[in-house]
Amino acid sequence: MARITWGMATSHVPSIGAAMDNHKTEDPYWKPLFDGYEKARTWMAEHQPDVAVIVYNDHANAIDMDLVPTFGIGTAESYDVADEGWGPRPVPSVVGAPDLSEHMVRELIDDSFDIATFHQLDVDHGLTVPLSVYCPEPGESWPCAVVPVLVNVIQYPQPTAARCYALGQAIGRAIRSFPQDLKVAVFGTGGMSHQLSGARAGLINERFDRMFLDKIEHRPEALTALTREDYIAEAGTEGIELIMWLVMRGAMSDNIARVHDTYHVPASNTAAALALFEDLDSREGVTA
Ligand code: DHB
Ligand code: FE
């Protein structure tokens, strides 16, 4: 059966990808951020999954604002890198895991999550930047296949934090019932606090971010109790992306250990963080 071996949450700021693409990671502005990734990257490289289930949001690149599904799953054989206005990032296209995708769609619908399916999807910075955070030098291809899971965080009303956590729990059940012997990592992406426009543009709330980073491990229910308005008030209009971390957390068991985390301000307008957790229940020889 498939196992969830680890979960990683990371910001997906486009300029983090641009810094890598343009060889600026040693510049004084960027070096502290990338130094913070070092430990987690080494651990992830030593614990390669077969598939990464990447929970992310499209930023009106592949999904037209006229039709915005609350939750979706990509079921394609492969996903092209989106052109967000300055050409696609110079990174490999993304290989899908259609059998696992189809299984997840079926299981989720049977579990009362009426999820949209994307048979064709170009993936934007929301997905490719987390892949680059995980694997900075992919060469010809990324080290694992990918199932994209899409969450609407950009158009009101976004799903509640509690619903995102419940979706994660259903995704966890779906993955663990997949009959192939696969190692699966789950990525939660976006955040931390940031607001890109309006009177509060540039907002960072370190107190809230550190509370979130702390509670995501063993007290996620403290985070699912917050409303979407709480997230926007505390973390900013784009900081609500943090609800996608709860999908990742919901997919993992209660038996997790923090491998590493890092928090850095600013990356562009954003408080950037990475948090990596091992799922101890998935270790060889351990049955849940
Ligand atoms: C930035 C952050 C985001 O999450 C995003 O999707 C786009 C831009 C930023 O801080 O620049
Ligand atoms: Fe974003």
Side-chain angles (χ1 to χ4, degrees):
M1 298 300 249
R3 298 177 283 146
I4 297 173
T5 50
W6 49 266
M8 192 264 282
T10 177
S11 308
H12 63 212
V13 182
S15 52
I16 294 176
M20 282 186 258
D21 300 343
N22 296 299
H23 314 288
K24 292 192 184 299
T25 57
E26 291 295 314
D27 285 11
Y29 180 86
W30 288 110
K31 189 171 170 15
L33 173 91
F34 288 100
D35 283 353
Y37 291 162
E38 214 42 39
K39 268 196 194 151
R41 279 175 160 172
T42 303
W43 191 92
M44 290 187 285
E46 289 165 355
H47 297 79
Q48 291 291 2
D50 300 301
V51 183
V53 170
I54 304 187
V55 183
Y56 85 108
N57 69 289
D58 178 80
H59 301 74
N61 288 304
I63 301 177
D64 199 288
M65 292 297 284
D66 289 340
L67 203 175
V68 181
T70 301
F71 296 127
I73 287 192
T75 55
E77 297 273 353
S78 66
Y79 305 91
D80 286 341
V81 176
D83 182 346
E84 301 185 41
W86 50 90
R89 288 189 60 210
V91 292
S93 59
V94 174
V95 171
D99 291 350
L100 178 58
S101 291
E102 295 287 358
H103 172 82
M104 287 172 62
V105 168
R106 201 169 46 246
E107 291 293 310
L108 287 171
I109 288 179
D110 286 352
D111 215 347
S112 302
F113 283 90
D114 302 324
I115 198 141
T117 51
F118 287 81
H119 304 303
Q120 197 277 328
L121 176 69
D122 289 356
V123 287
D124 77 0
H125 67 269
L127 186 136
T128 64
V129 169
L131 273 176
S132 294
V133 170
Y134 151 57
C135 176
E137 284 174 21
E140 292 292 299
S141 58
W142 298 106
C144 63
V146 169
V147 173
V149 174
L150 295 114
V151 178
N152 164 42
V153 295
I154 63 174
Q155 181 170 282
Y156 182 88
Q158 299 89 343
T160 63
R163 187 68 173 156
C164 287
Y165 186 66
L167 174 69
Q169 291 174 313
I171 286 175
R173 287 190 290 273
I175 292 170
R176 284 186 279 268
S177 70
F178 188 60
Q180 280 181 37
D181 191 17
L182 295 179
K183 283 184 278 184
V184 179
V186 182
F187 293 15
T189 72
M192 296 200 99
S193 56
H194 65 298
Q195 173 150 339
L196 299 180
S197 60
R200 296 198 309 161
L203 172 142
I204 301 289
N205 184 348
E206 178 164 353
R207 179 195 50 77
F208 180 84
D209 290 337
R210 293 214 180 266
M211 181 280 295
F212 192 97
L213 266 174
D214 175 48
K215 297 234 175 355
I216 188 99
E217 186 174 5
H218 293 308
R219 294 219 31 228
E221 64 286 351
L223 307 176
T224 60
L226 302 176
T227 65
R228 73 173 66 80
E229 289 76 15
D230 292 332
Y231 276 94
I232 289 170
E234 294 281 352
T237 44
E238 281 74 29
I240 195 175
E241 289 175 346
L242 283 170
I243 60 176
M244 296 185 289
W245 292 33
L246 289 167
V247 182
M248 178 276 295
R249 182 64 190 88
M252 301 188 80
S253 77
D254 285 337
N255 189 13
I256 65 169
R258 191 181 299 247
V259 177
H260 182 63
D261 64 24
T262 183
Y263 181 78
H264 176 81
V265 177
S268 178
N269 295 298
T270 306
L274 178 157
L276 174 62
F277 303 97
E278 181 176 12
D279 199 319
L280 303 175
D281 272 1
S282 73
R283 282 190 174 167
E284 228 97 38
V286 178
T287 44

